[in-house]
Structure formats: C-alpha cells, structure tokens
C-alpha cells in the first residue's frame, strides 16, 4: 500500500521494490482466550491504519501538503484511539516545527511517498501487536544548490492495538524499533 503526498521533484521518483508476503484480508489473525469474544481482523486492516498514521506524520514535513488530507481513522473495525489522536497531534506540531527549521536551513521537501508493510501480527493478553516496516521517500525542493532529488529511509515500528469500546480495535501506541538515528518523520522523544 503506497500513497504519494505532493508532487515529485522533476516528475521523477525512485521506486523501492519490496517483496513482502501478507495474509489475505479475509484471513482472521486470531481469536481465543487472549481476545475473548472479539475476532481479530486480517493483516490489511491493521496495515491500513499504520499506513495512515505514518503518512499523516510525513505530511507535516512536506511544504504545501495538508495533513488534514490524510486523516487518522477514528471509526471502523480498526481505528486510532482518542488518546493516540492527541499524541499524533502533538507529534504533528513537532514535525511542523521541524519542517520550518529544515526550510530555514535550505532543506525543504515538496513531495513524499510512504509504503507500509506488516511483518507480523500477534495477539497476547487482549492486545494486538503489529510489527510493520515503513519505507518513505521525500523529494527535495530544488533550489539550484545541487540538492539530490530525494532522500529515503526505512523504519520498523511496533503498533499496539487494544479492544475499542463496543467493538473493534484501536491503536493505542506506536514505537519505533531499532537503535539507529530517528527517521525525519519520527518524534525526538
């Protein structure tokens, strides 16, 4: 699943090739004592929420992009909890400040493409834990200073989902995994 934000520099973009095997949407991930009475939707439902959250973050970095065009899903079988929406709002404010600081340093992005693929889904103690890999490309605004056309990064994330009030599952946490430097679309904290 990939989405492009903004326009690519010079109309060209670098394609990342990913070979990922995912469970079909109709495949239930699990049900049982860890999630009594509550079925767990297929991998694609969790992947769609992860995709949207990470695209929303990236949109804060792209000049002329409106993060409202990539709303966080707050309804449906898999959605973002109200607490996580507040967390993402704070992260968005931090990323908007970062965009301004980068622009002041003559580093600005005019487009982005994000692809998310789920590596694993597990159900334990009434929680669904999803490990997903994000591949994001950011196209630089060309200002005649010899900028490269784009930058790209890969990040692994652990997303935690808990039972939502009534039915379904809600995203309650996103943690970036790994010891490397933070990706540009991740909060510093």
């Amino acid at each position: 699943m990939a989405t492009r934000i903004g326009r690519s520099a010079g109309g060209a973009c670098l394609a990342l090739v990913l070979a990922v095997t995912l469970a079909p949407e109709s495949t239930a991930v699990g049900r049982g004592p860890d999630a009594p009475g509550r079925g767990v939707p297929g991998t694609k439902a969790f992947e769609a929420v992860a995709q949207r959250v990470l695209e929303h973050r990236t949109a804060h970095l792209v000049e002329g992009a409106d993060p409202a065009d990539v709303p966080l899903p707050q309804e449906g079988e898999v959605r973002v909890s109200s607490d996580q929406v507040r967390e993402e709002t704070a992260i968005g404010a931090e990323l908007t400040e970062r965009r301004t600081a980068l622009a002041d340093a003559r580093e600005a992005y005019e487009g982005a493409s994000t692809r998310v693929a789920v590596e694993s889904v597990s159900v334990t103690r009434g929680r669904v834990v999803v490990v997903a890999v994000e591949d994001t490309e950011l196209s630089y605004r060309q200002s005649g200073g010899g900028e490269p056309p784009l930058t790209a990064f890969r990040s692994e994330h652990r997303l935690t989902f808990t039972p939502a009030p009534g039915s379904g599952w809600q995203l309650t946490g996103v943690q970036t995994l790994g010891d490397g430097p933070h990706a540009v679309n991740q909060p510093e904290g």
Side-chain angles (χ1 to χ4, degrees), residues 72-145:
L72 299 171
Q74 297 177 55
E75 297 178 356
E77 186 177 26
V78 180
R79 55 193 176 265
V80 179
S81 72
S82 58
D83 286 345
Q84 189 65 34
V85 168
R86 282 190 287 281
E87 176 73 13
E88 294 301 323
T89 299
I91 290 169
E94 178 183 335
L95 295 174
T96 298
E97 288 177 13
R98 187 174 301 158
R99 179 187 70 213
T100 301
L102 288 169
D104 290 347
R106 297 183 182 259
E107 183 174 326
Y109 304 115
E110 67 177 4
S113 174
T114 297
R115 177 180 297 270
V116 174
V118 170
E119 287 190 330
S120 67
V121 178
S122 60
V123 182
T124 307
R125 294 187 302 273
R127 294 177 182 256
V128 174
V129 176
V130 174
V131 176
V133 173
E134 167 197 11
D135 286 289
T136 292
E137 295 177 356
L138 291 157
S139 303
Y140 285 105
R141 180 185 69 209
Q142 300 298 303
S143 61

Side-chain angles (χ1 to χ4, degrees), residues 41-64:
T43 301
K44 294 273 187 205
F46 295 107
E47 183 178 81
V49 171
Q51 173 87 25
R52 192 54 76 101
V53 167
L54 296 170
E55 284 175 347
H56 184 81
R57 289 180 179 187
T58 302
H60 286 279
L61 296 171
V62 177
E63 288 191 354

